[in-house]
């Protein structure tokens, strides 16, 4: 864990209520599937956001405007600084992926799938990616995933783009050895029930600290109590209690 | 040269800073980013007889200048604390530590203190009679002078280490409770714990916290804390550990002027893990600014 001042390089809207922020700073500590915790001026607690991508000293985050903090973030401009705790959480275990991993991202859960996909491709794996959104105007990063060489399927709940339905409705279109998923809890539950292999789930919880000190984010697992921020956010299918 | 040294119940502290229970785990998360031996001491996570998960989530709610937590007393239970947490703590912290204990009955407190008493690294017991989070738990002890005194007496009977009773601010007469604890043999008083608070989410139109209410802390509560430390200092002779909303060297000095011999920092550690080292580094400068040579000299200076 490090607390680092990042400088905004770009901050732009990429879909409905959805922004991509590229930050410049020391990314040495950051692992795939981890998150960072941003100190936004005017707010007492920090805002946890998943790592979408890291290349050199460039950290990419994608966030949805859902409340006051993210609203302020959306108005921030190039050159502004953000104090950021990095290296938080366990991240994905990519060694378990098998040859044909499936990546399932829903809405604000899509971003962490990007770096994961990049790393799996680099390892010579052939990932399939299912991205779920409510409707066409919310879709983002389809082309970015395709550019990595992944097999990409987009599903929209209202059918305005790609497959009509939920991410799980696209499961029969792919053949997979293992899966990774991040998204709203009802989606995670559906993936849990529909999936036929083992896999890893990325969870969210309201956080006090984000680095394991306050016990604010605990959850029960088959292997005992875990803190989403420190022992998670990634949990394995086998340990989840639903 | 200024002196940051202070004394708490006969134990010398290099400086008055003590990270507050529940915001510092068992120390080792923070030891990853700085040498925690620079602290005066720290108070470890509230420990109970049996393991507990605490309250359901969500159990954190943001507020203006603070947060509400309803973590409850999540801890692995005193046996696992002895077996797993204290060895890890010892590896990174070499000073006397404050053992924060809680319970759901007088017997629980006694059991936990007895179990921990033989640990040489424990310098003080901080008996939390104030946690507002657990139904039928800590609350009842901290809100009546008789119950607080009963716990104090029972714990004093099973340890020779100093017993500091940590009080709840959610009472009408804090002085009466502090006095009752002093009469029952307490070696010190720690205050304040969190204020009972609540937030409601406008989108769902329901409380943010699963348990509806929780403990409010952070800079917003500092004036309440300063007032209570001041009042209790007038009424008791035993030392006071002051806390509530402290996040700067100025806050530390204010707390000591009110009457605190040592100062706890809670929520500030959560939003800035380097909060305590920054305060310690800043103290000499701020002391000089206000013409303070020795921190010990200003304890209760506002009276
Ligand atoms: C590990 C992790 C990774 C995340 N990654 C992303 C991401 O990549 N992209 C993205 O858009 N969102 C992500 N989120 C959700 C994001 O943290 C929230 O949307 C954001 O904190 C909302 O802040 P706000 O001030 O706009 O909302 P408000 O509702 O005004 O916030 C009030 C408080 O509640 C907290 N909060 C609100 N919603 C959530 C939530 N869903 N999860 C946790 N805390 C919440 C806030 O942090 C703040 O403390 C992630 C959450 C976690 C825990
Ligand atoms: C997340 C959290 C957990 C806490 N857990 C405990 C606890 O286990 N025992 C206890 O005596 N106080 C506990 N407290 C109270 C703090 O130790 C401290 O007394 C209080 O938060 C006021 O200080 P602050 O305003 O600096 O946070 C907790 C506070 C927070 C924020
Ligand atoms: S948010 Fe503090 S322990 Fe996870």
């Amino acid at each position: 864990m490090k607390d680092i001042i990042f400088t905004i390089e770009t901050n732009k809207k990429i879909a409905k209520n959805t922004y991509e922020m590229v930050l410049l700073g020391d990314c040495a500590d950051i692992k795939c599937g981890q998150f960072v915790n941003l100190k936004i001026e005017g707010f007492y607690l920090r805002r946890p956001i998943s790592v979408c991508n890291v290349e050199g000293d460039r950290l990419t985050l994608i966030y949805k405007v859902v409340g006051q903090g993210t609203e302020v973030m959306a108005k921030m401009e190039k050159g502004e600084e953000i104090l950021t705790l990095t290296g938080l959480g366990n991240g994905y275990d990519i060694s378990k992926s098998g040859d044909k991993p499936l990546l399932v991202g829903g809405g604000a859960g899509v971003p962490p799938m990007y770096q994961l996909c990049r790393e799996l491709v680099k390892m010579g794996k052939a990932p399939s990616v299912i991205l779920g959104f409510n409707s066409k105007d919310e879709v983002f990063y389809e082309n970015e995933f395709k550019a990595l060489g992944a097999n990409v399927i987009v599903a929209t709940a209202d059918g305005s783009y790609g497959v009509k339905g939920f991410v799980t409705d696209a499961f029969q279109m792919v053949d997979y050895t293992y899966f990774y998923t991040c998204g709203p809890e009802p989606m995670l539950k559906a993936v849990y029930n529909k999936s036929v292999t083992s896999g890893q789930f990325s969870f969210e919880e309201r956080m006090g600290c984000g680095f394991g000190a306050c016990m604010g984010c605990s959850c029960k697992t088959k292997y005992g109590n875990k803190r989403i921020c420190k022992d998670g956010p990634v949990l394995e299918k086998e340990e989840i209690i639903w | 040269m200024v002196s940051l040294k202070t004394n708490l119940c006969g134990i010398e502290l290099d400086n008055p800073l003590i990270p507050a229970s529940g915001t510092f785990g068992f120390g080792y998360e923070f030891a990853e980013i700085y040498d925690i031996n620079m602290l005066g001491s720290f108070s470890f996570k509230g420990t109970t007889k049996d393991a507990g998960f605490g309250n359901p989530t969500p159990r954190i709610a943001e507020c203006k200048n603070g947060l509400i937590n309803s973590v409850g007393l999540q801890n692995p239970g005193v046996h696992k604390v002895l077996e797993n947490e204290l060895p890890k703590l010892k590896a990174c912290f070499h000073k006397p530590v404050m053992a924060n204990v809680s319970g759901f009955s007088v017997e629980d407190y006694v059991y936990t203190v007895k179990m921990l008493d033989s640990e040489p690294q424990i310098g003080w017991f901080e008996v939390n009679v104030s946690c507002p989070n657990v139904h039928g738990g800590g609350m009842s002890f901290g809100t009546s002078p008789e119950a607080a005194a009963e716990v104090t007496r029972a714990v004093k009977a099973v340890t020779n280490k100093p017993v500091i009773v940590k009080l709840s601010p959610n009472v009408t007469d804090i002085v009466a409770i502090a006095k009752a604890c002093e009469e029952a043999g307490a070696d010190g008083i720690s205050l304040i714990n969190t204020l009972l608070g609540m937030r409601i989410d406008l989108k769902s139109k329901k409380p943010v916290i699963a348990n509806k209410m929780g403990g409010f802390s952070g800079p917003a509560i500092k004036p309440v804390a300063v007032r209570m430390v001041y009042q209790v200092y007038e009424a008791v002779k035993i030392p006071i550990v002051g806390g509530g909303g402290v996040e700067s060297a100025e806050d530390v000095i204010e707390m000591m002027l009110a009457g605190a011999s040592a100062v706890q920092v809670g929520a500030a550690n959560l939003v800035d893990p380097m909060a305590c080292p920054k305060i310690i580094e800043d103290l000499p400068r701020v002391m000089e600014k206000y013409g303070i040579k020795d921190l010990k000299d200003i304890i209760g200076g506002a009276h």
Side-chain angles (χ1 to χ4, degrees):
Chain A
M1 173 172 74
K2 279 190 193 157
D3 206 6
I4 292 164
I5 296 172
F6 280 83
T7 309
I8 299 177
E9 186 180 56
T10 58
N11 186 27
K12 61 171 198 261
K13 191 169 182 175
I14 55 169
K16 183 181 169 190
N17 295 332
T18 310
Y19 291 75
E20 179 198 68
M21 184 182 271
V22 179
L23 296 163
L24 291 176
D26 175 7
C27 300
D29 260 11
I30 304 177
K31 271 176 45 191
C32 170
Q34 287 189 320
F35 65 98
V36 297
N37 218 356
L38 308 169
K39 174 81 190 136
I40 306 299
E41 212 51 58
F43 296 90
Y44 190 66
L45 296 179
R46 296 189 186 220
R47 297 299 187 266
I49 302 288
S50 308
V51 171
C52 171
N53 196 24
V54 170
E55 274 174 279
D57 57 1
R58 256 192 191 80
L59 166 65
T60 305
L61 308 175
I62 293 177
Y63 59 94
K64 260 193 125 102
V65 173
V66 298
Q68 292 183 329
T70 44
E71 210 163 277
V72 170
M73 281 173 70
K75 294 199 184 95
M76 295 182 83
E77 289 177 8
K78 182 183 160 87
E80 283 188 63
E81 293 181 335
I82 307 183
L83 185 63
T84 306
L85 271 176
T86 66
L88 304 177
N90 56 355
Y92 297 114
D93 179 352
I94 54 175
S95 69
K96 294 189 174 169
S97 76
D99 288 334
K100 289 182 286 182
L102 171 62
L103 278 52
V104 187
V110 168
M113 294 298 140
Y114 183 75
Q115 189 182 1
L116 178 63
C117 187
R118 241 190 75 209
E119 297 204 355
L120 290 168
V121 170
K122 235 192 306 182
M123 286 168 66
K125 312 292 182 189
S128 292
V129 180
I130 303 176
L131 306 176
F133 301 95
N134 290 315
S135 66
K136 188 179 174 188
D137 54 358
E138 292 182 10
V139 177
F140 62 89
Y141 262 46
E142 182 187 8
N143 292 329
E144 281 80 353
F145 279 99
K146 281 187 175 153
L148 295 176
N151 166 33
V152 183
I153 301 166
V154 174
T156 52
D158 66 358
S160 53
Y161 190 80
V163 176
K164 180 175 164 49
F166 300 114
V167 288
T168 41
D169 294 318
F171 267 46
Q172 81 274 9
M173 300 163 70
V174 291
D175 175 29
Y176 58 99
T177 50
Y178 193 79
F179 69 87
Y180 299 89
T181 185
C182 182
E185 202 156 314
M187 185 200 98
L188 296 183
K189 235 179 216 174
V191 170
Y192 180 91
N193 290 324
K194 184 93 177 217
S195 55
V196 293
T197 68
S198 182
Q200 292 168 36
F201 294 73
S202 198
F203 284 88
E204 284 184 0
E205 188 48 81
R206 298 219 171 207
M207 293 183 175
C209 64
F211 55 89
C214 75
M215 302 281 164
C217 65
S218 296
C219 71
K220 290 178 183 164
T221 77
K222 288 180 189 156
Y223 310 150
N225 299 334
K226 291 201 169 181
R227 296 157 298 179
I228 295 292
C229 72
K230 180 87 178 179
D231 314 306
V234 180
L235 300 183
E236 307 220 352
K237 187 178 179 183
E238 290 67 32
E239 62 183 313
I240 297 169
I241 302 172
W242 254 329
Chain B
M1 268 302 279
V2 293
S3 168
L4 303 189
K5 286 201 182 351
T6 186
N7 188 296
L8 184 59
C9 308
I11 301 173
E12 181 98 346
L13 301 180
D14 290 335
N15 62 63
L17 263 88
I18 302 178
S21 178
T23 65
F24 213 73
F26 287 85
Y28 48 84
E29 272 86 14
F30 288 84
E32 278 178 34
I33 56 165
Y34 69 90
D35 180 4
I36 61 173
N37 292 292
M38 72 167 67
L39 300 165
S41 178
F42 75 89
S43 181
F44 63 59
K45 176 64 194 170
T47 296
T48 53
K49 177 168 171 260
D50 302 312
F53 176 74
N55 293 315
T57 57
R59 53 193 196 185
I60 298 285
E62 188 182 48
C63 308
K64 270 264 187 298
N65 291 311
L67 79 154
I68 294 172
N69 90 82
S70 75
V71 168
L73 292 168
Q74 182 179 349
N75 79 98
V78 67
H79 293 276
K80 284 268 159 37
V81 164
L82 281 164
E83 193 182 315
N84 302 329
E85 305 295 339
L86 295 188
K88 283 200 248 178
L89 182 160
K90 272 179 217 164
C92 57
F93 191 63
H94 314 302
K95 293 179 172 180
V97 72
M98 196 175 272
N100 185 281
V101 297
S102 203
F104 305 100
S105 65
V106 175
E107 295 72 41
D108 279 4
Y109 281 99
V110 166
Y111 184 91
T112 307
V113 169
K114 258 191 186 162
M115 289 303 302
L116 291 170
D117 191 47
S118 56
E119 278 296 312
Q121 203 177 353
I122 293 174
W124 314 259
F125 282 104
E126 184 177 43
V127 178
N128 173 17
V129 292
S130 51
C131 190
N133 294 328
V134 181
H135 298 294
M139 187 82 184
S140 52
F141 295 106
T143 49
S144 104
E146 294 76 28
E150 190 191 349
V151 175
T152 308
R153 224 175 285 118
V155 168
K156 275 298 286 181
V158 294
T159 180
N160 292 319
K161 297 186 200 265
V163 172
I164 296 171
V165 184
K166 183 167 176 185
L167 303 185
S168 166
N170 304 308
V171 296
T172 36
D173 188 357
I174 192 83
V175 167
I177 293 167
K179 273 180 150 165
C181 293
E182 183 182 39
E183 278 158 24
D187 300 286
I189 298 287
S190 173
L191 75 171
I192 60 174
N193 209 315
T194 53
L195 288 156
L196 194 57
M198 183 172 185
R199 293 237 35 210
I200 294 167
D201 181 56
L202 301 192
K203 276 187 220 155
S204 68
K205 302 181 176 58
K206 291 279 179 301
V208 175
I209 300 264
N211 230 19
K212 298 190 176 86
M213 290 166 226
F216 180 36
S217 74
I221 73 164
K222 199 187 74 179
V224 178
V226 170
R227 184 264 293 179
M228 288 191 163
V229 169
Y230 187 93
Q231 286 180 310
V232 169
Y233 183 83
E234 303 246 293
V236 303
K237 293 190 183 63
I238 49 180
I240 297 169
V241 180
V246 174
E247 55 176 12
S248 68
E250 286 83 353
D251 295 342
V252 170
I253 292 173
E254 189 176 349
M255 226 23 117
M256 294 185 80
L257 286 169
S261 293
V263 177
Q264 291 196 342
V265 176
N269 295 301
L270 307 180
V271 292
D272 178 3
M274 292 297 286
C276 286
K278 284 179 190 165
I279 295 174
I280 294 168
E281 197 191 305
D282 213 23
L283 261 171
R285 184 189 64 80
V286 179
M287 285 168 67
E288 264 163 40
K289 182 176 169 191
Y290 293 101
I292 300 162
K293 290 210 173 59
D294 190 336
L295 274 186
K296 277 198 292 283
D297 294 344
I298 67 163
I299 297 167
H303 293 263

